[in-house]
Amino acid sequence: MEEISTREKMLNYIKRNPKSRIYSISDFSKFGTYASIRKALSRLEMEGRLIRVSRGFYKSPEFNILINEEVASDPDQFARAYAESYGWKIAPHKETALNMLGLSTQVPNVFQYVSDGPYRTVSLNDGRKIEFRHRAIREISKLSYKEAALLEALKTLGKERISPDVRSRILRRFSKKELEALRKRVQKSRKWIYEEICRLIERSGNSVSNRQRD
């Protein structure tokens, strides 16, 4: 009876969430014992109510009738779910950050993230790879995921590659309010990055006060 009860609780929980959401085993911990959750996951997978994304991670099936195939899992959602299950702080890195913010149309061969956890490469069931690269990430520890992605994207491009087109693309993703909040949090970052945030705010129509140092 325990396994059936756990399964029903898990199924109701899954139905309340978007189909694109990726679950780790720990997401279901409140619904039963570890053994009952594993049994329920196995049964839900056999029934076709869940599909395995990678070892220990699942999502709801999502069939697209227009392309007549199953919708692939979102690597970024997987990376975030994976990091959350281990309590890591992560941020998109290099081409992954550029692609996420629409600054590059190139889809990475390996989706890279900086992390305060150990170096690790994880393979999805469809063959794509997620790479977590260990780095002390004090610079982004107080930033939101979106803010950290922008900081990593700027560092990937470098000062000389920040063109008017790049700024326009960034301004499509970030509101003036978001940039003002970010400016306050990157005062101790690299000088050119702080100045670039100021330029973005000026371009969006805001006035920026002189930089204040602690």
Side-chain angles (χ1 to χ4, degrees):
M1 293 298 294
E2 182 186 11
E3 188 264 330
I4 295 174
S5 175
T6 297
R7 173 188 170 279
E8 292 302 322
K9 289 177 182 178
M10 290 169 59
L11 189 55
N12 289 334
Y13 178 68
I14 291 165
K15 288 177 179 178
R16 294 196 300 269
N17 285 286
K19 286 185 175 293
S20 59
R21 174 165 176 176
I22 295 175
Y23 304 93
S24 67
I25 294 176
S26 61
D27 288 323
F28 303 110
S29 60
K30 61 184 177 182
F31 300 128
T33 64
Y34 181 78
S36 67
I37 290 168
R38 288 299 298 263
K39 288 180 181 178
L41 284 170
S42 178
R43 182 172 173 183
L44 290 170
E45 188 179 4
M46 288 178 62
E47 294 170 351
R49 295 178 182 271
L50 283 177
I51 58 175
R52 190 186 300 250
V53 176
S54 185
R55 183 178 180 182
F57 291 83
Y58 304 82
K59 72 179 290 289
S60 298
E62 191 177 0
F63 192 80
N64 187 319
I65 60 175
L66 295 178
I67 60 175
N68 197 36
E69 62 181 45
E70 183 69 29
V71 176
S73 56
D74 183 340
D76 188 65
Q77 286 203 33
F78 172 81
R80 296 171 74 168
Y82 191 93
E84 183 179 356
S85 72
Y86 286 98
W88 301 346
K89 173 83 175 184
I90 66 169
H93 187 46
K94 294 189 176 180
E95 291 298 328
T96 303
L98 296 180
N99 183 264
M100 175 182 166
L101 295 178
L103 303 179
S104 171
T105 57
Q106 182 177 346
V107 178
N109 292 324
V110 178
F111 294 83
Q112 293 185 323
Y113 295 81
V114 290
S115 162
D116 58 359
Y119 179 93
R120 188 170 297 173
T121 299
V122 182
S123 296
L124 303 186
N125 279 9
D126 60 13
R128 290 176 297 174
K129 294 185 182 299
I130 313 293
E131 183 180 81
F132 298 98
R133 304 179 68 87
H134 175 76
R135 193 177 82 188
I137 53 176
R138 292 184 295 273
E139 188 177 35
I140 63 173
S141 61
K142 296 182 179 180
L143 302 183
S144 70
Y145 190 75
K146 184 179 178 183
E147 289 171 335
L150 177 56
L151 203 64
E152 288 295 311
L154 291 175
K155 287 192 288 187
T156 298
L157 289 170
K159 182 178 179 180
E160 303 305 321
R161 293 174 60 195
I162 311 296
S163 65
D165 179 63
V166 167
R167 294 189 181 105
S168 294
R169 290 172 184 267
I170 292 172
L171 290 174
R172 293 187 199 122
R173 301 269 181 160
F174 288 82
S175 68
K176 292 182 284 188
K177 184 177 180 180
E178 287 175 320
L179 290 169
E180 284 283 11
L182 178 58
R183 179 179 64 86
K184 295 176 183 177
R185 298 189 185 109
V186 297
Q187 290 187 4
K188 294 183 180 180
S189 185
R190 302 176 192 182
K191 182 180 178 181
W192 75 265
I193 289 179
Y194 176 88
E195 291 173 346
E196 185 55 48
I197 300 299
C198 292
R199 289 191 190 95
L200 287 166
I201 296 171
E202 289 171 348
R203 182 162 178 167
S204 68
N206 282 325
S207 61
V208 180
S209 60
N210 291 331
R211 183 175 189 175
Q212 300 294 320
R213 293 186 179 273
D214 294 337

